[in-house]
Amino acid sequence: MEITDNTVLGAWKKALRYILDNGTDFKDRDERNCREVLNLTIIVDSPEADYEKPIDIMQQFEWMYPSKEELESIMLSKEQLASYEYSYGPRIFNFRGVDQINSFIIPLLKKDPTSRRAIITLFDPATDSNLLSKNVPSLLYIYFKIKENKLTLTCNIRSNDLFIGWPGNIYQIVLLQKHVAELLGISIGSFTTISGSAHIFHEHFEMIESILKK
């Protein structure tokens, strides 16, 4: 299934509605009732306009949702945060000593703006392909492509809680997209997420419906 919208908020609401109406129910390994859609593609044409709105909505609920500053540090800092088993920043900017953005993506796209090779990976088989690993990165790879002099971005997400996780994921992804675009001296275009498991939990249905009614 492919969902397209001009805005992040619109795409998020469409995705939540689709999973509610079309998902398959099961119990996960933690015995939580879950509703899932496989291989859900979400395309947002103009993410910069409102990429913070889903975060603002999630922070209104009575739980401790990460701050925008914390989400930014997870994505853009090469230092591993002590409070997390892993964070994306070190895998992007210091993956076994390699800065995938500044050592590869930026010089590649400056040399060849039409390149189809601008991919970074966040999955490390040496540590993540382990049967005992319980916390494997959800964000697996990111593909940067310049189209009509704008930086588009496509990312593959292994497992995605569309209610709680997607707002934070998208905020981080757009931050990275803007960061790379600024280094290239261009603006950002669309982004696409492909979620292998796009799911929501039954205990959140009431809150999801409240968002969809607004």
Side-chain angles (χ1 to χ4, degrees), residues 24-202:
T24 301
D25 289 341
F26 70 99
K27 283 192 176 182
D28 68 8
R29 69 180 184 189
D30 298 317
E31 294 297 308
R32 297 174 74 187
N33 291 312
C34 182
R35 184 165 295 177
E36 176 187 62
V37 169
L38 298 181
N39 302 318
L40 181 65
T41 298
I42 302 173
I43 302 171
V44 179
D45 293 322
S46 303
E48 194 167 16
D50 72 332
Y51 69 103
E52 298 184 35
K53 283 188 177 179
I55 291 286
D56 295 334
I57 290 172
M58 295 305 294
Q59 290 177 340
Q60 293 174 11
F61 289 108
E62 294 181 359
W63 55 41
M64 187 63 69
Y65 202 80
S67 68
K68 294 174 184 177
E69 293 76 17
E70 182 177 354
L71 290 168
E72 181 176 355
S73 68
I74 293 171
M75 198 66 172
L76 298 181
S77 173
K78 69 177 183 179
E79 302 299 329
Q80 176 64 44
L81 299 183
S83 55
Y84 287 86
E85 187 170 329
Y86 71 87
S87 52
Y88 292 131
R91 292 185 179 227
I92 295 171
F93 295 98
N94 189 22
F95 196 110
R96 296 186 175 271
V98 177
D99 183 334
Q100 297 189 79
I101 297 297
N102 293 293
S103 296
F104 178 59
I105 298 298
I106 301 304
L108 173 65
L109 292 178
K110 282 186 174 181
K111 179 181 179 181
D112 179 10
T114 66
S115 177
R116 299 184 294 270
R117 298 173 50 219
I119 294 178
I120 65 173
T121 183
L122 291 90
F123 184 85
D124 185 354
T127 57
D128 300 325
S129 294
N130 185 328
L131 293 178
L132 299 179
S133 294
K134 295 183 178 180
N135 202 3
V136 176
S138 293
L139 183 57
L140 299 180
Y141 75 78
I142 301 174
Y143 173 56
F144 301 91
K145 184 75 172 69
I146 296 176
K147 183 177 180 180
E148 298 175 353
N149 205 38
K150 292 184 177 181
L151 184 69
T152 67
L153 183 149
T154 301
C155 59
N156 185 283
I157 304 175
R158 170 184 60 80
S159 177
N160 211 190
D161 182 335
L162 256 288
F163 177 53
I164 292 180
W166 198 80
N169 291 151
I170 295 319
Y171 181 77
Q172 292 172 313
I173 287 166
V174 176
L175 285 178
L176 182 63
Q177 187 179 13
K178 290 175 64 178
H179 175 72
V180 173
E182 288 172 4
L183 292 175
L184 292 170
I186 59 178
S187 57
I188 70 169
S190 66
F191 78 71
T192 301
T193 62
I194 305 168
S195 300
S197 168
H199 56 268
I200 54 180
F201 292 99
H202 285 219

